[in-house]
Amino acid sequence: MKHLIDINRLEKSEIEQIISLAGEFKAGERKSSVAGKTACLMFFENSTRTKISFDLAAQKLGMNVIHFDGATSSLSKGESRKDTFENLSAIGIDTVIVRTTEDKFIDNSLKELPLPLSFVNAGDGLTAHPTQALLDYFTMRQIFDSIAGKKVCIVGDIAHSRVAKSNFALLSKFGARLHAVAPSYFKPKETLHVIYHDNLAEGIKNADVVMMLRVQRERLEAEFNADGYIEKYQLNSEILNKYAPNAILMHPGPVNRGVEITSELLDSEKGKTILEQARNGVFVRMAVLEMLG
Ligand code: CP
């Protein structure tokens, strides 16, 4: 694996290898083979979980970690992206971990960059967030032996969610039954090959996994009617326990308490899986960095 750009470019066997390696790191059974290498965190968009867990993952592997700040870098003086990456490579960076608002940022960069750098997509625009889908799958697999035939329902702002797109891409490879609940204004242009519902109870009925999404207000063009959304799509313990009592509850974060999910549900026993996702992110990202070598 030279880069990790999109789930669609991973074979099932590679995904299983990452999950297996993450499990070994979590159990403390695996040593790093990338100690002394250097990772550069290049986050042009805000992040808590992804940025900090990549930083910690690289440190746990014994890698050097450099933080690239776009605003104070020479990009702000007009240096091109190509020259920036060529210089980072010359300085000794091995792996660049990028979060950006630009769709296909890494593909666009690689068109002009035959460099010995490895790239990891830490979320690009509306396109993909592969390590989130991998850590979500890892979390599901800690509970289920197999995801084949399981009903997974993702609820909320699907249109603006690179997490939903990467999750659907991954889960479809493993035979999950994919459902989504979204109002028409949060349905993406592409079908994503999932069954859509407008009704929350109908969509989550008998689900094995319910994954809630944040409304990405920063990406909305039209005025958002929060009260109307909450009335129809907010999940609480009563609805979850009535329609999907055996489901695990997931959320990639950040959560908007009181919008897509109630505080009482988030703080309940069911909400604990959401913090487990964040914890697993470190081990999955260790596995990805280890596989990039
Ligand atoms: N899930 C996720 O990507 O969270 P952050 O934006 O905090 O990294």
Side-chain angles (χ1 to χ4, degrees), residues 46-51 99 122 129 132 162-163 252-254 285:
N46 293 344
S47 165
T48 296
R49 281 146 291 272
T50 313
K51 187 177 182 183
R99 161 146 321 174
H129 195 347
Q132 181 68 46
R162 56 197 175 206
V163 172
R285 288 171 176 129

Side-chain angles (χ1 to χ4, degrees), residues 137-148 150-152 207-209 246-248 250:
Y137 181 56
F138 180 72
T139 304
M140 291 178 210
R141 285 290 306 278
Q142 291 205 311
I143 294 155
F144 304 115
D145 286 342
S146 162
I147 205 72
K150 298 284 187 236
K151 177 176 176 180
V152 179
D208 298 288
V209 178
N246 299 318
I248 58 167
M250 301 181 78

Side-chain angles (χ1 to χ4, degrees), residues 27-254:
E29 292 165 355
R30 178 83 181 204
K31 290 219 160 30
S32 167
S33 69
V34 292
K37 297 218 167 191
T38 303
C40 178
L41 293 175
M42 187 177 269
F43 277 60
F44 295 107
E45 192 187 85
N46 293 344
S47 165
T48 296
R49 281 146 291 272
T50 313
K51 187 177 182 183
I52 290 172
S53 59
F54 261 121
D55 192 340
L56 185 58
Q59 290 186 50
K60 279 174 173 273
L61 292 167
M63 298 178 80
N64 306 304
V65 181
I66 306 290
H67 287 262
F68 180 96
D69 176 4
T72 59
S73 76
S74 291
L75 278 174
S76 67
K77 294 189 262 183
E79 186 169 28
S80 72
R81 187 185 296 182
K82 174 178 161 60
D83 290 332
T84 298
F85 285 126
E86 280 181 337
N87 280 273
L88 288 179
S89 177
I91 288 166
I93 301 295
D94 299 295
T95 304
V96 182
I97 299 158
V98 194
R99 161 146 321 174
T100 165
T101 53
E102 180 181 324
D103 291 302
K104 302 195 181 296
F105 176 95
I106 296 173
D107 282 331
N108 295 339
S109 301
L110 286 170
K111 277 183 200 150
E112 47 185 39
L113 276 174
L115 288 174
L117 286 168
S118 281
F119 283 92
V120 181
N121 183 359
D124 63 328
L126 305 184
T127 305
H129 195 347
T131 59
Q132 181 68 46
L134 288 165
L135 76 88
D136 291 340
Y137 181 56
F138 180 72
T139 304
M140 291 178 210
R141 285 290 306 278
Q142 291 205 311
I143 294 155
F144 304 115
D145 286 342
S146 162
I147 205 72
K150 298 284 187 236
K151 177 176 176 180
V152 179
C153 183
I154 303 187
V155 181
D157 184 0
I158 311 282
H160 300 102
S161 178
R162 56 197 175 206
V163 172
K165 291 183 185 95
S166 287
N167 261 292
F168 285 141
L170 188 153
L171 295 168
S172 67
K173 285 180 190 279
F174 291 93
R177 292 182 291 130
L178 302 177
H179 292 249
V181 176
S184 56
Y185 52 89
F186 283 158
K187 275 191 192 170
K189 289 188 190 85
E190 60 273 49
T191 71
L192 303 176
H193 307 291
V194 307
I195 298 168
Y196 280 100
H197 307 265
D198 182 49
N199 181 279
L200 178 63
E202 180 192 300
I204 67 167
K205 195 168 179 192
N206 297 328
D208 298 288
V209 178
V210 175
M211 185 182 293
M212 303 304 293
L213 298 176
R214 178 177 69 92
V215 175
Q216 301 198 26
R217 292 178 196 240
E218 71 275 22
R219 301 188 207 271
L220 301 184
E221 283 160 19
E223 186 78 14
F224 174 61
N225 174 359
D227 290 341
Y229 183 81
I230 288 166
E231 194 183 326
K232 281 192 78 176
Y233 301 102
Q234 184 186 70
L235 189 64
N236 59 33
S237 291
E238 193 186 337
I239 298 172
L240 185 62
N241 291 332
K242 182 169 178 189
Y243 293 99
N246 299 318
I248 58 167
L249 174 65
M250 301 181 78
H251 194 310

